[in-house]
Amino acid sequence: MTSKSLTALIAEADERGLAASGLACLDRCLPLLAAEDDTLRPLWAGLAGGEEDWAGELAAARRALEHTSLDDEDAALVRRMLGAAPSDWATEPLREWADGCSVAALEVHRRFDMGNCAPETLERCREGDAEGAGPLVAGELRRQAQILEILAEPPGGNGLRHALEVSTEGRRVLRAAVSRRARVTG
């Protein structure tokens, strides 16, 4: 993982990086809503257009996810992530949202982790000390940092596509953990 903490990467990110970071956290948590994998795809595409496309695609994503099938504490956490997304393409609201999504996604992963990662461990992990983090939390930390690093590079390359690929891999990991828990408890 990077030598910078996750909080430092969020603090340095621009609007595009912040929006993508928050969206990626939300995207990886979609298995908790039993939503289709491509539900947020238009919002990802809207990131390329930046400020011009963000608000409209965000409203469409909210409409698409308002009737999802699961209604438990974990699903509510994911819905709050989407509900908190700012319509304005401005640094500070996007930074606040990305930071909140980072915390929420780590909490979701902690709840499904096989390790004994305590809730208070998450903030220490975000500051760069991942000792005590279980494998799901450690993987989520790595993906969050990787996406912020990818998007810190100048636009014009395949940064958004690469960030989406990293997020898709994380969604598969969480879906497997959700499925495993359902088999064990069901």
PDB file of all heavy atoms in Angstrom, residues 126-162:
ATOM      1  N   ARG A 126      -7.306   3.980   8.794  1.00  0.00           N
ATOM      2  CA  ARG A 126      -7.372   5.088   7.829  1.00  0.00           C
ATOM      3  C   ARG A 126      -6.182   6.021   7.973  1.00  0.00           C
ATOM      4  O   ARG A 126      -5.816   6.711   7.035  1.00  0.00           O
ATOM      5  CB  ARG A 126      -8.685   5.863   8.010  1.00  0.00           C
ATOM      6  CG  ARG A 126      -9.878   5.090   7.475  1.00  0.00           C
ATOM      7  CD  ARG A 126     -11.224   5.735   7.768  1.00  0.00           C
ATOM      8  NE  ARG A 126     -11.253   7.148   7.948  1.00  0.00           N
ATOM      9  CZ  ARG A 126     -11.488   8.056   6.979  1.00  0.00           C
ATOM     10  NH1 ARG A 126     -11.712   7.670   5.751  1.00  0.00           N
ATOM     11  NH2 ARG A 126     -11.518   9.343   7.255  1.00  0.00           N
ATOM     12  N   GLU A 127      -5.557   6.021   9.144  1.00  0.00           N
ATOM     13  CA  GLU A 127      -4.377   6.864   9.370  1.00  0.00           C
ATOM     14  C   GLU A 127      -3.079   6.147   8.985  1.00  0.00           C
ATOM     15  O   GLU A 127      -2.005   6.714   9.125  1.00  0.00           O
ATOM     16  CB  GLU A 127      -4.320   7.329  10.827  1.00  0.00           C
ATOM     17  CG  GLU A 127      -5.434   8.280  11.205  1.00  0.00           C
ATOM     18  CD  GLU A 127      -5.451   9.557  10.383  1.00  0.00           C
ATOM     19  OE1 GLU A 127      -4.395   9.994   9.896  1.00  0.00           O
ATOM     20  OE2 GLU A 127      -6.549  10.120  10.206  1.00  0.00           O
ATOM     21  N   GLY A 128      -3.171   4.903   8.532  1.00  0.00           N
ATOM     22  CA  GLY A 128      -1.993   4.213   8.016  1.00  0.00           C
ATOM     23  C   GLY A 128      -1.516   3.029   8.829  1.00  0.00           C
ATOM     24  O   GLY A 128      -0.560   2.362   8.444  1.00  0.00           O
ATOM     25  N   ASP A 129      -2.156   2.722   9.949  1.00  0.00           N
ATOM     26  CA  ASP A 129      -1.766   1.589  10.790  1.00  0.00           C
ATOM     27  C   ASP A 129      -2.838   0.518  10.686  1.00  0.00           C
ATOM     28  O   ASP A 129      -3.851   0.567  11.378  1.00  0.00           O
ATOM     29  CB  ASP A 129      -1.595   2.042  12.243  1.00  0.00           C
ATOM     30  CG  ASP A 129      -1.216   0.907  13.181  1.00  0.00           C
ATOM     31  OD1 ASP A 129      -0.946  -0.214  12.701  1.00  0.00           O
ATOM     32  OD2 ASP A 129      -1.199   1.154  14.406  1.00  0.00           O
ATOM     33  N   ALA A 130      -2.624  -0.454   9.819  1.00  0.00           N
ATOM     34  CA  ALA A 130      -3.626  -1.497   9.565  1.00  0.00           C
ATOM     35  C   ALA A 130      -3.472  -2.711  10.477  1.00  0.00           C
ATOM     36  O   ALA A 130      -4.121  -3.730  10.254  1.00  0.00           O
ATOM     37  CB  ALA A 130      -3.563  -1.925   8.103  1.00  0.00           C
ATOM     38  N   GLU A 131      -2.669  -2.602  11.513  1.00  0.00           N
ATOM     39  CA  GLU A 131      -2.508  -3.730  12.431  1.00  0.00           C
ATOM     40  C   GLU A 131      -3.849  -4.045  13.083  1.00  0.00           C
ATOM     41  O   GLU A 131      -4.559  -3.172  13.568  1.00  0.00           O
ATOM     42  CB  GLU A 131      -1.484  -3.396  13.515  1.00  0.00           C
ATOM     43  CG  GLU A 131      -1.203  -4.579  14.426  1.00  0.00           C
ATOM     44  CD  GLU A 131      -0.135  -4.265  15.455  1.00  0.00           C
ATOM     45  OE1 GLU A 131       0.713  -3.399  15.199  1.00  0.00           O
ATOM     46  OE2 GLU A 131      -0.171  -4.893  16.513  1.00  0.00           O
ATOM     47  N   GLY A 132      -4.205  -5.321  13.076  1.00  0.00           N
ATOM     48  CA  GLY A 132      -5.464  -5.758  13.661  1.00  0.00           C
ATOM     49  C   GLY A 132      -6.620  -5.782  12.687  1.00  0.00           C
ATOM     50  O   GLY A 132      -7.710  -6.223  13.038  1.00  0.00           O
ATOM     51  N   ALA A 133      -6.401  -5.300  11.479  1.00  0.00           N
ATOM     52  CA  ALA A 133      -7.468  -5.324  10.473  1.00  0.00           C
ATOM     53  C   ALA A 133      -7.587  -6.732   9.906  1.00  0.00           C
ATOM     54  O   ALA A 133      -6.592  -7.388   9.618  1.00  0.00           O
ATOM     55  CB  ALA A 133      -7.164  -4.342   9.352  1.00  0.00           C
ATOM     56  N   GLY A 134      -8.806  -7.187   9.748  1.00  0.00           N
ATOM     57  CA  GLY A 134      -9.048  -8.479   9.126  1.00  0.00           C
ATOM     58  C   GLY A 134      -8.835  -8.391   7.622  1.00  0.00           C
ATOM     59  O   GLY A 134      -8.624  -7.299   7.071  1.00  0.00           O
ATOM     60  N   PRO A 135      -8.919  -9.506   6.931  1.00  0.00           N
ATOM     61  CA  PRO A 135      -8.636  -9.509   5.491  1.00  0.00           C
ATOM     62  C   PRO A 135      -9.600  -8.662   4.653  1.00  0.00           C
ATOM     63  O   PRO A 135      -9.170  -8.021   3.693  1.00  0.00           O
ATOM     64  CB  PRO A 135      -8.715 -10.990   5.102  1.00  0.00           C
ATOM     65  CG  PRO A 135      -9.383 -11.682   6.235  1.00  0.00           C
ATOM     66  CD  PRO A 135      -9.188 -10.846   7.456  1.00  0.00           C
ATOM     67  N   LEU A 136     -10.875  -8.628   5.007  1.00  0.00           N
ATOM     68  CA  LEU A 136     -11.806  -7.798   4.236  1.00  0.00           C
ATOM     69  C   LEU A 136     -11.514  -6.314   4.434  1.00  0.00           C
ATOM     70  O   LEU A 136     -11.536  -5.531   3.483  1.00  0.00           O
ATOM     71  CB  LEU A 136     -13.256  -8.085   4.639  1.00  0.00           C
ATOM     72  CG  LEU A 136     -13.927  -9.284   4.004  1.00  0.00           C
ATOM     73  CD1 LEU A 136     -15.353  -9.427   4.522  1.00  0.00           C
ATOM     74  CD2 LEU A 136     -13.920  -9.207   2.503  1.00  0.00           C
ATOM     75  N   VAL A 137     -11.252  -5.914   5.665  1.00  0.00           N
ATOM     76  CA  VAL A 137     -10.947  -4.508   5.941  1.00  0.00           C
ATOM     77  C   VAL A 137      -9.633  -4.118   5.271  1.00  0.00           C
ATOM     78  O   VAL A 137      -9.539  -3.060   4.639  1.00  0.00           O
ATOM     79  CB  VAL A 137     -10.899  -4.241   7.465  1.00  0.00           C
ATOM     80  CG1 VAL A 137     -10.330  -2.853   7.761  1.00  0.00           C
ATOM     81  CG2 VAL A 137     -12.286  -4.384   8.071  1.00  0.00           C
ATOM     82  N   ALA A 138      -8.619  -4.962   5.377  1.00  0.00           N
ATOM     83  CA  ALA A 138      -7.324  -4.667   4.757  1.00  0.00           C
ATOM     84  C   ALA A 138      -7.472  -4.529   3.240  1.00  0.00           C
ATOM     85  O   ALA A 138      -6.893  -3.622   2.629  1.00  0.00           O
ATOM     86  CB  ALA A 138      -6.303  -5.747   5.107  1.00  0.00           C
ATOM     87  N   GLY A 139      -8.265  -5.395   2.635  1.00  0.00           N
ATOM     88  CA  GLY A 139      -8.498  -5.313   1.196  1.00  0.00           C
ATOM     89  C   GLY A 139      -9.239  -4.045   0.818  1.00  0.00           C
ATOM     90  O   GLY A 139      -8.924  -3.401  -0.192  1.00  0.00           O
ATOM     91  N   GLU A 140     -10.222  -3.666   1.611  1.00  0.00           N
ATOM     92  CA  GLU A 140     -10.967  -2.430   1.340  1.00  0.00           C
ATOM     93  C   GLU A 140     -10.068  -1.207   1.494  1.00  0.00           C
ATOM     94  O   GLU A 140     -10.122  -0.285   0.673  1.00  0.00           O
ATOM     95  CB  GLU A 140     -12.187  -2.334   2.260  1.00  0.00           C
ATOM     96  CG  GLU A 140     -12.991  -1.061   2.103  1.00  0.00           C
ATOM     97  CD  GLU A 140     -13.594  -0.822   0.729  1.00  0.00           C
ATOM     98  OE1 GLU A 140     -13.598  -1.739  -0.125  1.00  0.00           O
ATOM     99  OE2 GLU A 140     -14.051   0.308   0.490  1.00  0.00           O
ATOM    100  N   LEU A 141      -9.228  -1.188   2.501  1.00  0.00           N
ATOM    101  CA  LEU A 141      -8.254  -0.094   2.659  1.00  0.00           C
ATOM    102  C   LEU A 141      -7.369   0.018   1.426  1.00  0.00           C
ATOM    103  O   LEU A 141      -7.146   1.110   0.901  1.00  0.00           O
ATOM    104  CB  LEU A 141      -7.362  -0.352   3.875  1.00  0.00           C
ATOM    105  CG  LEU A 141      -7.883   0.032   5.237  1.00  0.00           C
ATOM    106  CD1 LEU A 141      -6.996  -0.553   6.322  1.00  0.00           C
ATOM    107  CD2 LEU A 141      -7.959   1.543   5.370  1.00  0.00           C
ATOM    108  N   ARG A 142      -6.878  -1.104   0.973  1.00  0.00           N
ATOM    109  CA  ARG A 142      -5.987  -1.141  -0.190  1.00  0.00           C
ATOM    110  C   ARG A 142      -6.714  -0.616  -1.433  1.00  0.00           C
ATOM    111  O   ARG A 142      -6.176   0.191  -2.187  1.00  0.00           O
ATOM    112  CB  ARG A 142      -5.493  -2.574  -0.388  1.00  0.00           C
ATOM    113  CG  ARG A 142      -4.376  -2.754  -1.348  1.00  0.00           C
ATOM    114  CD  ARG A 142      -3.815  -4.176  -1.340  1.00  0.00           C
ATOM    115  NE  ARG A 142      -4.809  -5.230  -1.315  1.00  0.00           N
ATOM    116  CZ  ARG A 142      -5.119  -5.983  -0.235  1.00  0.00           C
ATOM    117  NH1 ARG A 142      -4.503  -5.801   0.905  1.00  0.00           N
ATOM    118  NH2 ARG A 142      -6.037  -6.918  -0.303  1.00  0.00           N
ATOM    119  N   ARG A 143      -7.965  -1.053  -1.633  1.00  0.00           N
ATOM    120  CA  ARG A 143      -8.719  -0.595  -2.812  1.00  0.00           C
ATOM    121  C   ARG A 143      -9.004   0.903  -2.742  1.00  0.00           C
ATOM    122  O   ARG A 143      -8.892   1.612  -3.742  1.00  0.00           O
ATOM    123  CB  ARG A 143     -10.014  -1.399  -2.957  1.00  0.00           C
ATOM    124  CG  ARG A 143      -9.801  -2.762  -3.580  1.00  0.00           C
ATOM    125  CD  ARG A 143     -11.113  -3.495  -3.803  1.00  0.00           C
ATOM    126  NE  ARG A 143     -11.632  -4.069  -2.585  1.00  0.00           N
ATOM    127  CZ  ARG A 143     -11.194  -5.190  -2.024  1.00  0.00           C
ATOM    128  NH1 ARG A 143     -10.225  -5.872  -2.587  1.00  0.00           N
ATOM    129  NH2 ARG A 143     -11.736  -5.643  -0.918  1.00  0.00           N
ATOM    130  N   GLN A 144      -9.374   1.399  -1.559  1.00  0.00           N
ATOM    131  CA  GLN A 144      -9.647   2.835  -1.437  1.00  0.00           C
ATOM    132  C   GLN A 144      -8.407   3.655  -1.778  1.00  0.00           C
ATOM    133  O   GLN A 144      -8.493   4.637  -2.523  1.00  0.00           O
ATOM    134  CB  GLN A 144     -10.129   3.163  -0.019  1.00  0.00           C
ATOM    135  CG  GLN A 144     -11.543   2.712   0.253  1.00  0.00           C
ATOM    136  CD  GLN A 144     -12.052   3.199   1.590  1.00  0.00           C
ATOM    137  OE1 GLN A 144     -11.612   4.223   2.113  1.00  0.00           O
ATOM    138  NE2 GLN A 144     -13.004   2.468   2.161  1.00  0.00           N
ATOM    139  N   ALA A 145      -7.273   3.266  -1.233  1.00  0.00           N
ATOM    140  CA  ALA A 145      -6.024   3.996  -1.517  1.00  0.00           C
ATOM    141  C   ALA A 145      -5.658   3.879  -2.991  1.00  0.00           C
ATOM    142  O   ALA A 145      -5.253   4.872  -3.620  1.00  0.00           O
ATOM    143  CB  ALA A 145      -4.898   3.465  -0.637  1.00  0.00           C
ATOM    144  N   GLN A 146      -5.806   2.695  -3.555  1.00  0.00           N
ATOM    145  CA  GLN A 146      -5.454   2.481  -4.956  1.00  0.00           C
ATOM    146  C   GLN A 146      -6.288   3.381  -5.873  1.00  0.00           C
ATOM    147  O   GLN A 146      -5.761   4.002  -6.796  1.00  0.00           O
ATOM    148  CB  GLN A 146      -5.650   1.012  -5.307  1.00  0.00           C
ATOM    149  CG  GLN A 146      -5.161   0.634  -6.674  1.00  0.00           C
ATOM    150  CD  GLN A 146      -5.333  -0.862  -6.945  1.00  0.00           C
ATOM    151  OE1 GLN A 146      -5.955  -1.603  -6.184  1.00  0.00           O
ATOM    152  NE2 GLN A 146      -4.776  -1.305  -8.049  1.00  0.00           N
ATOM    153  N   ILE A 147      -7.574   3.489  -5.608  1.00  0.00           N
ATOM    154  CA  ILE A 147      -8.438   4.318  -6.448  1.00  0.00           C
ATOM    155  C   ILE A 147      -8.042   5.784  -6.346  1.00  0.00           C
ATOM    156  O   ILE A 147      -7.951   6.489  -7.356  1.00  0.00           O
ATOM    157  CB  ILE A 147      -9.920   4.081  -6.088  1.00  0.00           C
ATOM    158  CG1 ILE A 147     -10.336   2.716  -6.656  1.00  0.00           C
ATOM    159  CG2 ILE A 147     -10.819   5.196  -6.609  1.00  0.00           C
ATOM    160  CD1 ILE A 147     -11.676   2.222  -6.218  1.00  0.00           C
ATOM    161  N   LEU A 148      -7.775   6.256  -5.135  1.00  0.00           N
ATOM    162  CA  LEU A 148      -7.347   7.653  -4.975  1.00  0.00           C
ATOM    163  C   LEU A 148      -6.019   7.915  -5.673  1.00  0.00           C
ATOM    164  O   LEU A 148      -5.825   8.976  -6.271  1.00  0.00           O
ATOM    165  CB  LEU A 148      -7.271   8.009  -3.491  1.00  0.00           C
ATOM    166  CG  LEU A 148      -8.637   8.211  -2.827  1.00  0.00           C
ATOM    167  CD1 LEU A 148      -8.533   8.092  -1.321  1.00  0.00           C
ATOM    168  CD2 LEU A 148      -9.239   9.547  -3.249  1.00  0.00           C
ATOM    169  N   GLU A 149      -5.115   6.962  -5.624  1.00  0.00           N
ATOM    170  CA  GLU A 149      -3.828   7.115  -6.307  1.00  0.00           C
ATOM    171  C   GLU A 149      -3.999   7.113  -7.816  1.00  0.00           C
ATOM    172  O   GLU A 149      -3.379   7.915  -8.521  1.00  0.00           O
ATOM    173  CB  GLU A 149      -2.862   6.010  -5.879  1.00  0.00           C
ATOM    174  CG  GLU A 149      -2.388   6.170  -4.446  1.00  0.00           C
ATOM    175  CD  GLU A 149      -1.641   4.960  -3.919  1.00  0.00           C
ATOM    176  OE1 GLU A 149      -1.778   3.853  -4.488  1.00  0.00           O
ATOM    177  OE2 GLU A 149      -0.935   5.126  -2.923  1.00  0.00           O
ATOM    178  N   ILE A 150      -4.840   6.235  -8.325  1.00  0.00           N
ATOM    179  CA  ILE A 150      -5.098   6.178  -9.769  1.00  0.00           C
ATOM    180  C   ILE A 150      -5.644   7.520 -10.249  1.00  0.00           C
ATOM    181  O   ILE A 150      -5.230   8.054 -11.277  1.00  0.00           O
ATOM    182  CB  ILE A 150      -6.108   5.043 -10.101  1.00  0.00           C
ATOM    183  CG1 ILE A 150      -5.476   3.675  -9.893  1.00  0.00           C
ATOM    184  CG2 ILE A 150      -6.652   5.190 -11.518  1.00  0.00           C
ATOM    185  CD1 ILE A 150      -6.489   2.533  -9.888  1.00  0.00           C
ATOM    186  N   LEU A 151      -6.575   8.073  -9.489  1.00  0.00           N
ATOM    187  CA  LEU A 151      -7.243   9.296  -9.924  1.00  0.00           C
ATOM    188  C   LEU A 151      -6.464  10.557  -9.595  1.00  0.00           C
ATOM    189  O   LEU A 151      -6.849  11.646 -10.020  1.00  0.00           O
ATOM    190  CB  LEU A 151      -8.659   9.338  -9.360  1.00  0.00           C
ATOM    191  CG  LEU A 151      -9.513   8.218  -9.971  1.00  0.00           C
ATOM    192  CD1 LEU A 151     -10.802   8.056  -9.232  1.00  0.00           C
ATOM    193  CD2 LEU A 151      -9.754   8.468 -11.453  1.00  0.00           C
ATOM    194  N   ALA A 152      -5.366  10.431  -8.880  1.00  0.00           N
ATOM    195  CA  ALA A 152      -4.486  11.582  -8.645  1.00  0.00           C
ATOM    196  C   ALA A 152      -3.642  11.871  -9.876  1.00  0.00           C
ATOM    197  O   ALA A 152      -3.093  12.962 -10.022  1.00  0.00           O
ATOM    198  CB  ALA A 152      -3.587  11.325  -7.435  1.00  0.00           C
ATOM    199  N   GLU A 153      -3.567  10.893 -10.782  1.00  0.00           N
ATOM    200  CA  GLU A 153      -2.831  11.082 -12.031  1.00  0.00           C
ATOM    201  C   GLU A 153      -3.627  12.015 -12.934  1.00  0.00           C
ATOM    202  O   GLU A 153      -4.845  12.114 -12.821  1.00  0.00           O
ATOM    203  CB  GLU A 153      -2.613   9.732 -12.711  1.00  0.00           C
ATOM    204  CG  GLU A 153      -1.775   8.781 -11.883  1.00  0.00           C
ATOM    205  CD  GLU A 153      -1.719   7.377 -12.462  1.00  0.00           C
ATOM    206  OE1 GLU A 153      -2.219   7.148 -13.575  1.00  0.00           O
ATOM    207  OE2 GLU A 153      -1.174   6.511 -11.764  1.00  0.00           O
ATOM    208  N   PRO A 154      -2.969  12.703 -13.844  1.00  0.00           N
ATOM    209  CA  PRO A 154      -3.678  13.637 -14.730  1.00  0.00           C
ATOM    210  C   PRO A 154      -4.772  12.929 -15.526  1.00  0.00           C
ATOM    211  O   PRO A 154      -4.597  11.792 -15.960  1.00  0.00           O
ATOM    212  CB  PRO A 154      -2.582  14.151 -15.671  1.00  0.00           C
ATOM    213  CG  PRO A 154      -1.296  13.863 -14.978  1.00  0.00           C
ATOM    214  CD  PRO A 154      -1.531  12.681 -14.096  1.00  0.00           C
ATOM    215  N   PRO A 155      -5.944  13.598 -15.691  1.00  0.00           N
ATOM    216  CA  PRO A 155      -7.026  12.993 -16.467  1.00  0.00           C
ATOM    217  C   PRO A 155      -6.616  12.794 -17.919  1.00  0.00           C
ATOM    218  O   PRO A 155      -5.681  13.399 -18.395  1.00  0.00           O
ATOM    219  CB  PRO A 155      -8.172  13.996 -16.357  1.00  0.00           C
ATOM    220  CG  PRO A 155      -7.657  15.187 -15.653  1.00  0.00           C
ATOM    221  CD  PRO A 155      -6.260  14.910 -15.192  1.00  0.00           C
ATOM    222  N   GLY A 156      -7.368  11.949 -18.584  1.00  0.00           N
ATOM    223  CA  GLY A 156      -7.114  11.723 -19.995  1.00  0.00           C
ATOM    224  C   GLY A 156      -6.721  10.301 -20.296  1.00  0.00           C
ATOM    225  O   GLY A 156      -6.848   9.843 -21.413  1.00  0.00           O
ATOM    226  N   GLY A 157      -6.270   9.572 -19.306  1.00  0.00           N
ATOM    227  CA  GLY A 157      -5.904   8.174 -19.522  1.00  0.00           C
ATOM    228  C   GLY A 157      -7.089   7.275 -19.216  1.00  0.00           C
ATOM    229  O   GLY A 157      -8.245   7.639 -19.403  1.00  0.00           O
ATOM    230  N   ASN A 158      -6.778   6.115 -18.727  1.00  0.00           N
ATOM    231  CA  ASN A 158      -7.803   5.132 -18.395  1.00  0.00           C
ATOM    232  C   ASN A 158      -8.078   5.090 -16.895  1.00  0.00           C
ATOM    233  O   ASN A 158      -8.477   4.070 -16.369  1.00  0.00           O
ATOM    234  CB  ASN A 158      -7.374   3.745 -18.873  1.00  0.00           C
ATOM    235  CG  ASN A 158      -7.384   3.637 -20.371  1.00  0.00           C
ATOM    236  OD1 ASN A 158      -8.260   4.200 -21.024  1.00  0.00           O
ATOM    237  ND2 ASN A 158      -6.416   2.930 -20.924  1.00  0.00           N
ATOM    238  N   GLY A 159      -7.862   6.204 -16.191  1.00  0.00           N
ATOM    239  CA  GLY A 159      -7.998   6.233 -14.746  1.00  0.00           C
ATOM    240  C   GLY A 159      -9.363   5.811 -14.242  1.00  0.00           C
ATOM    241  O   GLY A 159      -9.475   4.984 -13.339  1.00  0.00           O
ATOM    242  N   LEU A 160     -10.423   6.372 -14.813  1.00  0.00           N
ATOM    243  CA  LEU A 160     -11.761   6.010 -14.364  1.00  0.00           C
ATOM    244  C   LEU A 160     -12.077   4.548 -14.645  1.00  0.00           C
ATOM    245  O   LEU A 160     -12.677   3.868 -13.811  1.00  0.00           O
ATOM    246  CB  LEU A 160     -12.815   6.908 -15.008  1.00  0.00           C
ATOM    247  CG  LEU A 160     -12.941   8.304 -14.424  1.00  0.00           C
ATOM    248  CD1 LEU A 160     -13.931   9.139 -15.231  1.00  0.00           C
ATOM    249  CD2 LEU A 160     -13.353   8.251 -12.965  1.00  0.00           C
ATOM    250  N   ARG A 161     -11.667   4.067 -15.793  1.00  0.00           N
ATOM    251  CA  ARG A 161     -11.914   2.664 -16.120  1.00  0.00           C
ATOM    252  C   ARG A 161     -11.162   1.752 -15.152  1.00  0.00           C
ATOM    253  O   ARG A 161     -11.702   0.762 -14.669  1.00  0.00           O
ATOM    254  CB  ARG A 161     -11.498   2.349 -17.558  1.00  0.00           C
ATOM    255  CG  ARG A 161     -11.852   0.911 -17.926  1.00  0.00           C
ATOM    256  CD  ARG A 161     -11.540   0.560 -19.345  1.00  0.00           C
ATOM    257  NE  ARG A 161     -11.725   1.696 -20.227  1.00  0.00           N
ATOM    258  CZ  ARG A 161     -11.130   1.820 -21.399  1.00  0.00           C
ATOM    259  NH1 ARG A 161     -10.328   0.884 -21.833  1.00  0.00           N
ATOM    260  NH2 ARG A 161     -11.330   2.870 -22.157  1.00  0.00           N
ATOM    261  N   HIS A 162      -9.922   2.098 -14.856  1.00  0.00           N
ATOM    262  CA  HIS A 162      -9.127   1.307 -13.919  1.00  0.00           C
ATOM    263  C   HIS A 162      -9.747   1.356 -12.514  1.00  0.00           C
ATOM    264  O   HIS A 162      -9.825   0.338 -11.819  1.00  0.00           O
ATOM    265  CB  HIS A 162      -7.689   1.805 -13.911  1.00  0.00           C
ATOM    266  CG  HIS A 162      -6.751   0.904 -13.187  1.00  0.00           C
ATOM    267  ND1 HIS A 162      -5.431   1.187 -13.029  1.00  0.00           N
ATOM    268  CD2 HIS A 162      -6.929  -0.275 -12.541  1.00  0.00           C
ATOM    269  CE1 HIS A 162      -4.847   0.233 -12.329  1.00  0.00           C
ATOM    270  NE2 HIS A 162      -5.740  -0.650 -12.016  1.00  0.00           N
TER     271      HIS A 162
END
